[in-house]
Amino acid sequence: MTEPLTPDLGALPWKPKRGFSMVREFNRWDIPTSGIVRSRWTRHYYLFQCLDGASGQYSVWAYLALTRSEARRLLSLQGDELRAAQHELMLTRTLAVVVAEEDAGIIHRVRGRLAQSEPEPRLERDVSLRVQREIQDEASAVHAMPVFAMS
């Protein structure tokens, strides 16, 4: 049985909850950008992957709950086989998707699915629009607060 992940706001994307530890990094670009993490308490496994390369101030990450056998299978693969297996899993299930800021960590989270595209999968259109709308709504709400009013 796999348990859906709800990443903690403010957490590092590659350590999305307190009590999680890295099982294996599959890719790294200054920071881990793909790998498997595990909860120390529940022993559940999760695949994580940065969807946009983590090259700017903001980045988008996806998390997928894995069974123990799926985690073992991924840990046994390398190269193109590993990437293909990751994509196959991520395209077939609902994911936890987050937006992270390089200093603040995870700042926004949503559940959604990926759609097949080349060269990498992308967020389904309705998920992408929902994330953008929610972030714009949050920014508008903050901007409308009297404490931020410009005199």
Side-chain angles (χ1 to χ4, degrees):
M1 177 79 184
T2 57
E3 181 176 298
L5 178 65
T6 302
D8 293 338
L9 293 175
L12 297 171
W14 55 93
K15 190 175 181 185
K17 289 190 83 58
R18 193 172 141 256
F20 272 41
S21 59
M22 184 72 67
V23 174
R24 168 112 23 102
E25 287 180 26
F26 293 138
N27 199 12
R28 174 180 265 284
W29 179 261
D30 292 333
I31 58 171
T33 57
S34 179
I36 295 177
V37 293
R38 182 183 77 184
S39 167
R40 286 184 220 145
W41 298 301
T42 64
R43 302 288 191 220
H44 290 122
Y45 293 86
Y46 300 91
L47 173 65
F48 73 92
Q49 184 161 343
C50 181
L51 299 178
D52 66 349
S55 60
Q57 181 178 354
Y58 295 91
S59 53
V60 178
W61 300 71
Y63 305 87
L64 170 68
L66 298 171
T67 64
R68 187 173 183 177
S69 64
E70 289 169 335
R72 283 184 180 169
R73 179 174 175 260
L74 290 175
L75 292 169
S76 73
L77 300 174
Q78 295 180 17
D80 290 340
E81 287 180 331
L82 173 61
R83 281 185 288 286
Q86 286 174 291
H87 287 156
E88 178 184 329
L89 286 168
M90 294 186 110
L91 285 167
T92 60
R93 299 191 196 155
T94 299
L95 310 168
V97 178
V98 303
V99 176
E101 196 273 336
E102 65 182 346
D103 294 323
I106 294 171
I107 60 171
H108 192 81
R109 55 194 176 192
V110 67
R111 292 214 182 277
R113 296 187 66 115
L114 295 180
Q116 180 64 49
S117 68
E118 293 299 329
E120 298 288 330
R122 302 175 92 73
L123 290 175
E124 284 188 340
R125 181 168 170 72
D126 65 318
V127 177
S128 178
L129 292 172
R130 185 176 52 192
V131 169
Q132 291 176 39
R133 185 181 63 249
E134 289 174 2
I135 290 173
Q136 289 170 348
D137 290 348
E138 290 169 8
S140 295
V142 168
H143 182 33
M145 296 171 74
V147 71
F148 294 110
M150 303 293 264
S151 344

